[in-house]
Amino acid sequence: MKYINLALRCLFFAVIIKPIVKIVIGLRYQNTPILPKDGPAILIANHNSHLDTMVLISLLPLNILHKVQPVAAADYFLKNKFLAWFALNIIGILPIERQGKDKSVNPIEQCAKALDSGKILIFFPEGSRGEPEKMTDLKYGVVKLAERCPKVPLYPIYMHGLGKTLPKGDALFVPFFCDVVFSEPLSYEAQGDGFYETVKARFVGMQESVKLPKWD
């Protein structure tokens, strides 16, 4: 069953998601992609749309898809049997209890265990989805995770446009260009106590660097 689910996952992203992202949405790189070739690693990105996770996964080659795990809210994605199966086996999420109901489970340790096994995590430092094309303050979860795994590289990525394609609270898909900006990887080991401010500065810099086309 494990290999069947993996085959279905690869098929889903190869045949459905990658074409939608590249052709229907229209993915545009603002600079040369800077992405991990293997795990452990963490992709950190802004979060405005239901499509953020799909786009981030689509950036990576299919041969490492089995290592990719988006960190996601268990209470949302595991609320019914079909959604739970799809989220766990096709999207490949690492379910985290964000409401703190189960005090015996430490979300940071869950993520660290996945990284120890060579996974590539997708992590949204803002927490939940924000308003379209607006970044909210970064939560300290990313700092705690980086401190727990100081040698693991984090790859900052900024996406612009998905907040208009499928924003929070909207179920209507509207094709819109998605601009993606990449930044050099960083680690807690290298940045130390200045890690949080460095991450914030990276996102501000990427946000300001987005060059949108001018229409006459």
Side-chain angles (χ1 to χ4, degrees):
M1 184 61 70
K2 175 183 177 181
Y3 295 106
I4 293 176
N5 288 336
L6 179 57
L8 288 174
R9 188 182 188 197
C10 288
L11 191 65
F12 176 72
F13 279 96
V15 176
I16 299 176
I17 298 302
K18 283 181 176 283
I20 287 176
V21 169
K22 292 183 179 180
I23 300 171
V24 180
I25 295 177
L27 200 64
R28 300 185 298 203
Y29 295 159
Q30 294 282 319
N31 58 348
T32 303
I34 305 172
L35 294 162
K37 295 180 179 180
D38 201 355
I42 308 170
L43 303 186
I44 54 174
N46 58 311
H47 198 18
N48 291 137
S49 168
H50 296 286
L51 294 175
D52 292 337
T53 297
M54 300 297 192
V55 168
L56 290 169
I57 294 176
S58 76
L59 298 176
L60 299 165
L62 291 174
N63 68 324
I64 60 172
L65 183 61
H66 63 287
K67 295 187 176 185
V68 181
Q69 276 198 290
V71 177
D75 60 295
Y76 181 85
F77 286 97
L78 305 184
K79 58 187 176 183
N80 65 62
K81 289 184 178 180
F82 174 76
L83 182 58
W85 176 84
F86 185 80
L88 292 169
N89 297 291
I90 305 301
I91 307 303
I93 70 165
L94 175 64
I96 297 296
E97 186 57 71
R98 63 179 173 181
Q99 302 297 334
K101 294 177 182 178
D102 188 351
K103 301 296 184 180
S104 65
V105 179
N106 185 329
I108 299 301
E109 289 304 317
Q110 283 182 274
C111 292
K113 183 178 180 180
L115 292 169
D116 288 341
S117 67
K119 297 294 185 180
I120 299 173
L121 299 185
I122 293 177
F123 193 94
F124 297 108
E126 296 168 282
S128 59
R129 282 168 288 146
E131 295 301 316
E133 313 313 326
K134 293 181 181 179
M135 282 200 70
T136 58
D137 290 337
L138 306 183
K139 292 182 169 56
Y140 276 86
V142 66
V143 179
K144 293 178 181 178
L145 178 56
E147 187 177 17
R148 171 65 178 77
C149 305
K151 294 184 179 181
V152 174
L154 292 90
Y155 292 76
I157 299 174
Y158 178 77
M159 297 174 288
H160 180 276
L162 290 179
K164 297 177 182 178
T165 299
L166 195 61
K168 181 180 181 180
D170 200 336
L172 180 63
F173 179 86
V174 180
F176 201 90
F177 286 114
C178 174
D179 294 279
V180 184
V181 185
F182 302 89
S183 183
E184 291 292 334
L186 46 85
S187 69
Y188 192 87
E189 184 178 57
Q191 271 70 41
D193 292 338
F195 181 83
Y196 181 77
E197 293 302 324
T198 300
V199 172
K200 285 178 61 177
R202 290 288 184 92
F203 276 103
V204 170
M206 289 189 293
Q207 193 172 21
E208 292 176 347
S209 73
V210 175
K211 298 176 182 177
L212 300 178
K214 295 181 180 180
W215 307 100
D216 295 328

